[in-house]
Amino acid sequence: MLENIKGGLQLTYRLSVIIPLYNKEKSINRAVNSVLKQTAFFDELIIVDDGSTDASLDVVKQFDDSRIKVISQKNQGVSSARNTAIKVACSDYLCFLDADDEWRPNFLEQIVGLIKLNDKAGIYCARYAEVDEHGKQFIGNLVNINPNFYGQLADFFLSYKENRSLICSSNTCLKKEYLEQIGGFPKEAKLGEDIFVWLSIALSAPIMFSAKLATIVYRNAENRSHARVKLVLPYHIQYFLNPSKRALLEKNSTLKTFLLYNTTIFGLYAAQAGNRRLAIQTAKLLMAHKLMYGIIVFLGACLPKSFIHLLKKLRNKKTLSYEN
């Protein structure tokens, strides 16, 4: 429970932490420990086991902390697991962490400070780094954001397009009322369900960000979703680039800019993954909005994979920094 003095009134903020769990017996211990070691107070840690078939649940049950609440359900996907936790959470502010990632001890402290700056915002997030498949850590370079930035982003969509370590499913705290307004995470989504939530909330509420590194995302963890989920057009792309949303995009030019860029990156990724059919589908979708982006993806689907690999290396060199 957080206490904040504003205008002589004492306001109470409550924080719930949510971890969706599915077959992460090797990494869930790290995730839970990182929550319990936080320097800031939280009310509860809700772990929703989404039908794990390994020893994940046994690992969780070894923790003896009254703040931990474990819910088990049949396997329904990560969106369902998160929504289950959202329904029972006692707090107004919901902090999300994937079972294979971890927070630095200062994560919730960063979030608490952002809430105190603006308790009416929709999303609070702190910069994250990633560990690649070879165990090497890297982080997205800050673009048009001061290294000491701590506050409200002037244009979330533009910042999201330009910065690769801005927001993910393990470095966010969402205000519950905004999640409820959009119906939570879309259960039918296989990919892009989290991006749909970020974009939807950002249309109606401020987004707060701390440039201080506070989360580590592990690409080398077991049972990563990208390896077990069939590659399909992400939900946020299907939703926002649907013809019915054309007026919305015209009113929000930087949202449109983000989506076109993000969809182009996805289309090239599909081409590199050998899914030429999906890449061409993505190209056609882009052409309906901006011909140039569609042509780029179409060419990516036709050219050798080595060409896309080169483009990826050039992009990474410009936008990412690896630790020495």
Side-chain angles (χ1 to χ4, degrees):
M1 187 179 297
L2 314 173
E3 293 184 350
N4 183 23
I5 305 299
K6 191 180 278 188
L9 297 175
Q10 180 170 290
L11 305 178
T12 300
Y13 307 129
R14 301 172 68 92
L15 289 182
S16 293
V17 178
I18 294 173
I19 298 180
L21 174 62
Y22 179 70
N23 288 356
K24 299 288 185 179
E25 63 177 44
K26 296 179 181 178
S27 52
I28 183 60
N29 185 76
R30 176 178 63 202
V32 174
N33 270 317
S34 77
V35 175
L36 299 181
K37 292 178 181 178
Q38 290 299 299
T39 56
F41 180 85
F42 63 93
D43 287 86
E44 59 184 357
L45 166 56
I46 306 172
I47 302 172
V48 180
D49 180 62
D50 190 43
S52 293
T53 57
D54 64 359
S56 295
L57 196 54
D58 294 330
V59 174
V60 169
K61 289 180 178 179
Q62 292 176 6
F63 287 94
D64 183 18
D65 192 300
S66 60
R67 294 171 295 179
I68 298 178
K69 300 176 182 178
V70 181
I71 301 173
S72 295
Q73 65 179 35
K74 293 182 179 179
N75 181 251
Q76 301 173 58
V78 66
S79 288
S80 175
R82 289 176 181 144
N83 289 340
T84 295
I86 292 168
K87 291 177 182 177
V88 302
C90 70
S91 309
D92 296 326
Y93 299 91
L94 311 178
C95 302
F96 292 85
L97 176 65
D98 286 348
D100 44 15
D101 300 331
E102 71 174 323
W103 289 337
R104 285 188 168 184
N106 67 332
F107 175 77
L108 287 181
E109 185 178 331
Q110 295 295 308
I111 298 302
V112 168
L114 291 173
I115 293 174
K116 288 181 178 180
L117 286 177
N118 185 355
D119 60 4
K120 298 296 190 294
I123 303 176
Y124 308 83
C125 50
R127 195 177 181 197
Y128 69 94
E130 298 182 63
V131 173
D132 68 16
E133 292 79 359
H134 307 291
K136 196 170 183 180
Q137 183 170 306
F138 64 93
I139 190 169
N141 299 327
L142 291 175
V143 179
N144 294 320
I145 294 179
N146 188 287
N148 298 314
F149 183 85
Y150 194 78
Q152 181 176 327
L153 293 169
D155 189 327
F156 170 75
F157 304 120
L158 182 59
S159 295
Y160 195 7
K161 171 184 176 292
E162 296 178 336
N163 294 271
R164 296 178 65 179
S165 291
L166 187 78
I167 186 170
C168 70
S169 55
S170 287
N171 80 327
T172 56
C173 177
L174 309 182
K175 194 165 187 183
K176 190 174 184 179
E177 68 176 89
Y178 292 107
L179 263 176
E180 292 175 336
Q181 286 175 13
I182 65 172
F185 290 84
K187 291 179 63 174
E188 66 272 28
K190 300 297 182 184
L191 294 172
E193 77 290 334
D194 49 358
I195 299 178
F196 165 79
V197 169
W198 316 152
L199 300 181
S200 297
I201 292 178
L203 283 169
S204 58
I207 309 300
M208 307 295 287
F209 176 68
S210 168
K212 189 171 183 178
L213 176 62
T215 300
I216 309 296
V217 173
Y218 290 87
R219 289 187 179 182
N220 61 350
E222 83 276 27
N223 194 39
R224 295 284 291 177
S225 59
H226 76 274
R228 58 182 168 81
V229 176
K230 181 182 177 182
L231 192 62
V232 295
L233 193 66
Y235 184 84
H236 70 284
I237 294 175
Q238 296 182 50
Y239 181 88
F240 284 104
L241 291 189
N242 186 287
S244 65
K245 298 296 184 293
R246 188 174 293 274
L248 174 66
L249 296 185
E250 294 307 318
K251 290 180 182 178
N252 297 274
S253 60
T254 54
L255 169 60
K256 182 178 180 179
T257 298
F258 165 81
L259 284 164
L260 294 178
Y261 178 77
N262 180 259
T263 305
T264 300
I265 296 298
F266 172 78
L268 293 174
Y269 172 77
Q272 187 183 33
N275 196 329
R276 187 170 182 270
R277 181 177 180 180
L278 180 57
I280 292 176
Q281 176 191 353
T282 306
K284 291 179 178 178
L285 181 62
L286 283 166
M287 287 178 182
H289 292 271
K290 196 160 187 177
L291 186 62
M292 178 187 69
Y293 288 101
I295 291 175
I296 291 172
V297 175
F298 183 78
L299 289 175
C302 298
L303 293 171
K305 294 180 184 179
S306 58
F307 177 74
I308 304 174
H309 182 68
L310 176 61
L311 291 178
K312 183 179 178 180
K313 285 185 66 175
L314 292 173
R315 177 179 180 243
N316 287 347
K317 186 175 182 180
K318 180 180 180 181
T319 60
L320 301 177
S321 292
Y322 278 81
E323 66 179 3
N324 296 324

